[in-house]
Amino acid sequence: MTTPTRNRRAEILDAAAALFAERGFHGVSIEEIGAAVGVSGPALYRHFRGKEALLTEILLDISGRLSSAGASAAALHPAEALDVLLRGHIEFALGHPELIRVHERELHNVPETDQRAIRRLQRLYVEEWVGVVRDLHPGCAVARVRAAVHAVFGLLNSTPRSVGELGREEMASTLEAMARASLRAAVNGR
């Protein structure tokens, strides 16, 4: 059961992510975040130390969720794991383009120690993908697989610039086909 405090925290985080994506970290005040969830800006301090803490939690949360999902998927048979990884990341990218925007634009506004934690979670997620692709293509060099995985992330994380141009299902199938083709080309040396 989700507690009212957790619901309020999640509501605040969602509102902050949307505002940061739209106007940038420095373009949004704590009062504007509060107004977006129907409270005064100072009331947010019951939940977060400040705007920087909001941004940090947004980025740590999504990096942690992706890393955990990657670890769970990697425990499956490699072909099934790749299906789960691709579809899960596509679902994330299409469902939360604002989080991709916030990460791309605002990571430098997070304290250095938290940036390192976020990067560590991201590296773990990348390595889950690398392990799955290597299990499917053991003859392919690790560096080549890692480069291919990063390229696929670039493709999938481009959705903030294209979301809405196609219906969600068509966009998801297009992204999946392109990601699979990209991985195939990389591991086959073409």
Side-chain angles (χ1 to χ4, degrees), residues 44-110:
L44 294 182
Y45 292 108
R46 289 187 210 131
H47 302 279
F48 298 95
R49 288 185 325 274
K51 200 168 71 161
E52 189 177 84
L54 275 163
L55 177 61
T56 299
E57 188 162 333
I58 289 166
L59 296 178
L60 277 169
D61 176 64
I62 192 53
S63 297
R65 284 190 286 148
L66 287 170
S67 181
S68 292
S72 295
L76 303 170
H77 181 275
E80 184 182 359
L82 184 59
D83 290 346
V84 170
L85 287 169
L86 279 168
R87 291 184 184 133
H89 198 98
I90 290 167
E91 181 63 31
F92 158 69
L94 292 177
H96 302 285
E98 73 284 356
L99 294 176
I100 294 169
R101 272 192 217 102
V102 170
H103 180 270
E104 286 176 345
R105 296 178 186 166
E106 307 299 343
L107 181 62
H108 67 279
N109 287 309
V110 171

Side-chain angles (χ1 to χ4, degrees), residues 16-29:
L19 289 167
F20 293 157
E22 180 184 330
R23 299 199 313 251
F25 178 74
H26 294 293
V28 177
S29 70

